Structure formats: C-alpha cells, structure tokens
Amino acid sequence: MAIILSINSGSSSVKVSIYRSSSTTEPPMKLADAHISGLTAPPAKLTYIRGSQKVKGQEVDGIQSNEDACERILNYVVEDRGLVEISSRDDITHVCHRVVHGGDYPNAHVIDQDTYNHLEDLTDLAPLHNASALAIVKSCLESLPKAKNITYFDSSFHATIPDAVRTYAIDQEVAERNRLRKYGFHGISYAFITRAVAVFLSKEQEDTNIIALHLGSGASACAIHHGKSIDNSMGLTPLAGLPGATRSGDVDPSLIFHFTHDAGKPSPNSTQKMHISTAEDILNKQSGWKALTGTTDFGTISGSEDPKCKLAFELFVDRIVAFVGSYYVKLGGEVDALVFAGGIGEKAARLREVVVERCECLGFRIDKRKNGKEIKDVVQDVGKESARHKTLVCQTDEQFEMARQFDLSYLVREVDQFTVLMRVFAENKACAVSIRLVFMGREREGSSFKAGHSIFMNPQNPSVVAAAKAAEKRYLVNKDELGHDLRKHECYYDLFPNAACYLSVKPAFLFRDPVRILDSWKALGWDNVDSLKLWSVLARLSTDRGTNIDDMQKLNLLILAEKTTAAFTDGRTFREYRKERFEALTWKLQLSCDDECFNLLSDIYEATLAASLRLKSGASSLLTTLKKLGN
C-alpha cells in the first residue's frame, strides 16, 4: 500500500491532499485535504477536511514561508488520530510535488540530486513560480527521508505544442542557448480536464478536441486536439496570455521600459537565491485586476457597478474571447466543447454567460438556467442542447491528477503490475475486462464487437461477449492469448490480415507471452510466468521429499488450471498466487511446506524465471513495428 502526499505549493498558499493506493482496480482514495492560505496576507489560516471532520479558517501562528506551512500540515496530519493510515511520518511512502516550470522535461521525475540541480537552474527562468515549490521539495527530502519525492510539471502537458507555435521570432542561437521559447503552463490541470471531459462525452481521449479555460488568480487558455495540447496562452513563463489577479498578461514588450526606468534592476523582493528584476516584479505582482481595481477578489469585481471593476471585467472577457476565437480556428472548427475550469471558471456564472454569448457566432450557446445552478459534478453541461458545440464546466483537481499519474506510472514499477494495468482498463468506459488482460483493440468505425471477429480469437465464455455487447463496449480484453489455437504462445505480427488492419487496432497491451508493451509508455519488462512449468521447483521438491516427478507434474497442471481461473481480478500479487498453488500442490501430495519451504521454492522459481526469459518467435519484429507505429 502506498500513502501519497500530493502537494500544490503556490505563491500565497500550500495545498496538500493525502491519498491511499493499494494498486487495485480502483483510483487512489482520498483520505484528507489540508490547506494553509494567507501566506502573503497574514494571518495564515488552516483548512482541514477528513470525512465528516472539518476545520475551516483556523488561524495558525509562526507561518513565515511555504516550508513552514508544509511542516505545520505534516504535523497536523500525523497528530490526527482519526487518520489511521498515518501514525508517523515514516508511513508516508511518496510525495508528489507540483512544479510550474519543468523546462524540457516531458514527464514527471523522481527527485534525485541531478533533477534537483536542474530545477534550481530553471529557477532563473521562472523565479516567482519554481522557488516556493523547490523549497517544499527540499523540506520534504529532509523531513520525510523514507518517502520518494516525485515532481510533476505544469509545462509537461504542452510538450506536444508544434515548433511553429513554441518558437519566438528571435535569434535562434540565443534562444536555444538560453532556452527561450513557449512552454505553456497549467498542464496538470489540463491533463485532468482532458481526461474528465473525454469520459463525460463517452469519447476516447485521443479523439477529444476542446478549448479549455483554466481561470483563477492565474488564468490561461489551451487548445487541445486529439487529446494533446497544440497551443497554450502562456509562454516562456506564466506571465504571458490572459491577465490575472496580479499579472498583466500580454503587453507590448517595450511597455515596461516606458513604465519605469528601473525595469532591468533587481527588485527589492529579490533574495540571494531568487533573482527578480523590477520588470518581473511589476508585471507579475503589481498588475492585473489588483492594479485596475485595488482588489484581487474577482467575485467582488464581477458584481460591482464601479467603473474600474466594470473595466477589469470587460478587459478579462475581451482577452478570453480572443483566445477562444483563435483556438477555434486552430482546431478547424472541430470542437467538442468549450470548457471552463479553475476557481473563477467554476464559480463565476456571469463571466461564463458573457463569454459564451460573445462566442455564439462560433456555435456555443449558454443555458442560463443550467448555468445558474451550483456546479456539483466533476463535469457539468451548462450549454443549450440545440448548440452546435457543448459548453461545460469542469471541477479540475491537480492534486488528484498527480496522485493518479503516480499510481499509473511509478507504482506499476514497485508492485504487482497486473493489478495496476487492470486499473487502466477499468477506467476506460469503453472497455470490458475478461479475467486476463491480453489485447485491447479499436474496431472499425461503426462496427460492434462480436464473437469470431477476425482480430480477436473466439472467447471461451460467450456470456462475456454478450455482456460486453449489451454494455455497448467497443473493446474486449480477452483472457486468452492473442492469436488462434494453432499459434498459441506466439507473438506474430502477421496475425493481422494486413498493415491497415494493424493500424486500425494498434494493440496497446500484449500479455503472457514474453512481450509487454504499453502504448505511449515505456516497456515495463518481460513476463513468461505461466509458460514456465515449475520444472526446477518440482525437481528440487521431488529430490528432497522422494516424490515421483511425473505425478507432481500432473497435479501441478490441474492445480494451475483450477487456481488461475479468475487470476488477477482480486488485487493479489504473483507471489500470493504462487504460494496458493505451492500450498495446494504440497497438500495434495501430503507434503509439509512451511514459510521457509515456500520462500525456498519461490527463490528457485524466480531464479529459473530470470534465467529463462527470452524473446519468443516474432517478438522482435513486432516490437520494431510497434516502435515505428506507436507514440
């Protein structure tokens, strides 16, 4: 079991969500939420929620920094006797950190010294955004020495932005040397939004096209084509694009030099470790709605008749609509939905109404009745049924997204892999799972699964097919090997009638043969467990106990068939199944096998397994093909 802290450290607050993951078919379970706000506007206040227990707005003393806030939260969590999963800090196994700027890192990274040093280098690129997160990382490395720390980057989701979009029209030698390009941000939120909206629309993520708006104190827009970012309103830093509570958003680059002659000088807020120019300080901390109205509370701005507030509201609407129109064109009008998210996107019904009304020419229409309702669901429709495109609100959850990504990537390397992969299928509404995971394929448009399909071998249990079809599933994960009976245990590319057929199904998983491939992930390794027949284990037991090896072989085959009928559907590991089979075998042979005996047999088995791993016929060509055709 993993106990995960998911930490979101901002400029004025620290949010921590605690999750438990047991590598079952269920998503990570949230145990508690903790939040300390007011770091830049004391007094700091603690909010803590665990089940029915709620502490809201409790003033806390002695909080001078993000590290102090995180330390206070850790103490509160450990001291909460109702949180039985954590009795000491040693019970925390993993810590997920949101880091805004990951540079060229396309994926999350386990923190080691090299990673930490690289992120420190990036602090010069984003001093106002990475410094607080890295301070928390360093604090956790010291205060949670037994936990593994993993960083998730807001910029990673936007690694798919095309070169023409990410490139600035400046000297490219200088740009490359200084890593000056568009990176894009709010990526963890957009990853959650994309997946949640795809589920809501009953579409595959790779078939989903949306214009997403993450609107909060920091605001951005994102064009998502086939589930991937093709543009984001933010740029080299989160300053670009939409204005925010204290950020200017896009301005003429020369403006700041007319605004102040000290633009290039160090800001009074600079520290020895955080070098901030006066220009950065003004545009990031002294601009936005605060500069226009004197308040950062958008709720107050939205409901005010004050001319300054009206101007700020209209300015924000204008900038949002401009990006919606631009991204609509970039998506060629193929837009499934306009999605509002973030604190303002979720709560500001009037803003949603005005933005959508300005975009009616594009096919979006707001339903005032639905838009006025409280947003309770993860994804909620607020558009008119007659509209060409949907208008949705998504309650994004960056802490959960980090825990979920951790669960599906890092946890899979540390615990039984089958149960984690079951999770992948279980979360896919279009997928039916039938005991063993072997193959997932997409059929041609308009077709439905049926027994005898040329891509799938006939299932041994027709009721599985009937159930899958009745549930309108498009995928079936069959328990048998890929291929027909004559080619069992083999992995041949030519199982597919032709290359076009292969491309149409694009296998994501191949199991039981020594090939395991994750589409878009790294290969996790080889598995040949059920192909091996415990020869060396049986031989050792036969020698030690004087039992006939042939009798043991026959019994083992019967037990193997009996004990693996519903294997890996209940969350147990390989070792647990193996122990069950060994115990059944020795019991039927009237042999005693204590834990020491079992460990010995397991060691022999695993050593034999490691020595016997090899690619089977056709696997190399299949892997080569997958590499060429995969992501």
Side-chain angles (χ1 to χ4, degrees):
M1 179 176 73
I3 299 297
I4 308 162
L5 293 190
S6 198
I7 301 178
N8 187 345
S9 177
S11 57
S12 62
S13 67
V14 174
K15 299 177 184 177
V16 178
S17 294
I18 301 99
Y19 297 90
R20 179 184 69 212
S21 178
S22 302
S23 182
T24 66
T25 57
E26 297 299 317
M29 176 184 290
K30 181 180 286 188
L31 302 175
D33 275 318
H35 177 206
I36 290 183
S37 59
L39 300 184
T40 56
K45 294 182 179 181
L46 168 71
T47 297
Y48 183 76
I49 300 173
R50 176 184 52 77
S52 59
Q53 179 185 339
K54 293 183 181 180
V55 175
K56 193 170 184 178
Q58 182 184 86
E59 290 190 11
V60 285
D61 298 325
I63 306 296
Q64 304 295 324
S65 64
N66 294 63
E67 302 98 289
D68 291 340
C70 187
E71 185 68 18
R72 183 65 61 88
I73 288 173
L74 281 174
N75 288 337
Y76 199 95
V77 166
V78 172
E79 292 167 6
D80 180 6
R81 294 184 178 180
L83 189 60
V84 296
E85 290 84 356
I86 301 178
S87 58
S88 73
R89 296 192 178 198
D90 289 346
D91 292 326
I92 298 168
T93 60
H94 298 81
V95 185
C96 301
H97 299 268
R98 178 195 171 205
V99 176
V100 171
H101 212 311
D104 292 320
Y105 279 144
N107 300 302
H109 267 260
V110 174
I111 288 288
D112 55 23
Q113 196 58 51
D114 289 341
T115 307
Y116 188 85
N117 291 342
H118 181 69
L119 294 177
E120 274 196 318
D121 292 340
L122 288 174
T123 300
D124 285 339
L125 205 58
L128 293 166
H129 308 101
N130 274 23
S132 62
L134 285 181
I136 293 283
V137 170
K138 186 175 182 180
S139 174
C140 287
L141 288 171
E142 295 171 354
S143 63
L144 300 170
K146 293 189 176 182
K148 181 174 290 186
N149 287 262
I150 306 162
T151 50
Y152 292 80
F153 307 108
D154 264 336
S155 50
S156 295
F157 182 76
H158 305 292
T160 52
I161 290 178
D163 288 341
V165 177
R166 72 173 62 197
T167 302
Y168 292 121
I170 59 175
D171 186 310
Q172 288 304 290
E173 287 189 9
V174 176
E176 290 179 15
R177 183 168 63 250
N178 295 299
R179 296 172 288 192
L180 305 178
R181 65 168 178 84
K182 171 181 282 206
Y183 289 93
F185 301 97
H186 283 149
I188 298 170
S189 174
Y190 287 124
F192 180 94
I193 292 166
T194 304
R195 181 177 57 84
V197 169
V199 171
F200 179 82
L201 297 174
S202 297
K203 299 188 71 170
E204 291 305 302
Q205 190 167 316
E206 62 266 26
D207 297 329
T208 303
N209 301 324
I210 60 175
I211 298 170
L213 304 170
H214 179 106
L215 308 177
S217 295
S220 69
C222 187
I224 297 169
H225 182 246
H226 291 171
K228 296 179 179 179
S229 173
I230 60 169
D231 202 356
N232 179 247
S233 57
M234 291 176 165
L236 174 70
T237 74
L239 176 62
L242 296 174
T246 61
R247 293 178 191 155
S248 67
D250 284 340
V251 296
D252 186 316
S254 64
L255 176 146
I256 192 63
F257 299 103
H258 296 277
F259 189 89
T260 175
H261 295 298
D262 296 331
K265 294 181 180 179
S267 162
N269 294 320
S270 288
T271 65
Q272 186 175 2
K273 293 185 177 180
M274 187 168 67
H275 309 292
I276 306 171
S277 68
T278 298
E280 287 177 301
D281 194 46
I282 291 172
L283 295 177
N284 278 284
K285 295 294 185 181
Q286 302 175 37
S287 300
W289 317 320
K290 181 181 180 180
L292 293 171
T293 67
T295 180
T296 59
D297 186 341
F298 192 80
T300 299
I301 293 169
S302 180
S304 175
E305 292 298 319
D306 186 301
K308 292 180 180 178
C309 290
K310 285 186 174 182
L311 174 62
F313 184 87
E314 284 296 323
L315 183 151
F316 195 37
V317 169
D318 175 77
R319 304 303 194 269
I320 292 171
V321 169
F323 277 107
V324 172
S326 171
Y327 291 167
Y328 190 88
V329 173
K330 287 198 173 191
L331 292 169
E334 296 181 7
V335 180
D336 295 312
L338 173 63
V339 186
F340 291 84
I344 293 172
E346 295 167 19
K347 297 173 184 176
R350 179 173 173 242
L351 178 71
R352 294 195 300 262
E353 180 181 335
V354 175
V355 167
V356 174
E357 285 177 348
R358 301 276 176 90
C359 297
E360 279 194 358
C361 62
L362 301 176
F364 302 102
R365 298 183 69 192
I366 198 80
D367 185 314
K368 292 184 180 181
R369 182 185 60 82
K370 291 196 292 186
N371 187 50
K373 289 183 176 181
E374 181 183 355
I375 303 301
K376 295 182 178 180
D377 298 331
V378 175
V379 179
Q380 199 161 314
D381 193 336
V382 296
K384 284 193 173 181
E385 295 295 331
S386 59
R388 192 187 320 155
H389 310 293
K390 289 188 178 297
T391 300
L392 307 174
V393 180
C394 177
Q395 296 194 73
T396 188
D397 190 338
E398 291 160 310
Q399 285 96 277
F400 176 81
E401 182 63 23
M402 286 190 289
R404 178 186 172 277
Q405 288 185 22
F406 157 82
D407 207 15
L408 293 180
S409 55
Y410 290 96
L411 196 59
V412 77
R413 295 173 176 82
E414 298 172 10
V415 298
D416 172 56
Q417 296 169 348
F418 264 99
T419 52
V420 178
L421 297 175
M422 288 282 278
R423 267 276 313 284
V424 178
F425 285 105
E427 286 193 357
N428 185 340
K429 283 190 173 182
C431 183
V433 178
S434 172
I435 304 178
R436 292 295 183 112
L437 309 183
V438 179
F439 180 79
M440 181 175 80
R442 181 179 306 144
E443 302 183 53
R444 291 186 294 275
E445 191 68 27
S447 64
S448 59
F449 180 83
K450 57 185 181 296
H453 189 282
S454 60
I455 301 303
F456 301 92
M457 68 180 291
N458 294 326
Q460 292 177 357
N461 185 357
S463 65
V464 173
V465 182
K469 190 173 180 180
E472 297 183 339
K473 303 290 187 180
R474 288 198 298 126
Y475 300 154
L476 177 75
V477 182
N478 202 331
K479 73 175 183 179
D480 299 304
E481 279 80 13
L482 173 64
H484 51 70
D485 290 336
L486 296 178
R487 287 179 173 173
K488 239 179 179 181
H489 303 298
E490 298 294 342
C491 295
Y492 285 109
Y493 170 74
D494 63 5
L495 281 170
F496 303 101
N498 50 55
C501 180
Y502 174 85
L503 285 170
S504 71
V505 298
K506 195 175 183 185
F509 296 85
L510 299 179
F511 278 90
R512 296 188 66 183
D513 283 299
V515 179
R516 178 178 293 159
I517 296 167
L518 249 60
D519 191 23
S520 302
W521 293 2
K522 293 180 180 179
L524 297 179
W526 311 119
D527 172 33
N528 197 20
V529 172
D530 287 330
S531 297
L532 289 175
K533 302 299 183 188
L534 309 189
W535 291 109
S536 62
V537 175
L538 296 176
R540 177 65 178 267
L541 196 56
S542 175
T543 301
D544 290 349
R545 314 287 173 150
T547 309
N548 184 278
I549 188 70
D550 293 330
D551 293 338
M552 298 181 77
Q553 284 179 357
K554 293 174 184 178
L555 274 175
N556 180 63
L557 290 175
L558 291 173
I559 292 169
L560 189 65
E562 176 188 335
K563 295 294 182 183
T564 60
T565 302
F568 308 110
T569 60
D570 56 4
R572 288 191 292 163
T573 64
F574 282 126
R575 195 172 182 87
E576 288 169 326
Y577 280 112
R578 206 176 300 140
K579 183 176 182 180
E580 181 184 55
R581 280 154 43 188
F582 287 164
E583 287 176 342
L585 178 62
T586 54
W587 180 80
K588 287 193 177 185
L589 292 169
Q590 297 182 335
L591 300 172
S592 62
C593 187
D594 54 17
D595 286 342
E596 183 180 354
C597 171
F598 166 70
N599 290 332
L600 173 63
L601 294 178
S602 289
D603 290 343
I604 297 171
Y605 179 90
E606 289 169 5
T608 306
L609 175 64
S612 302
L613 295 180
R614 60 187 178 83
L615 289 176
K616 287 194 174 182
S617 174
S620 295
S621 61
L622 177 59
L623 285 169
T624 302
T625 304
L626 284 167
K627 185 175 181 181
K628 290 178 180 177
L629 299 177
N631 293 325

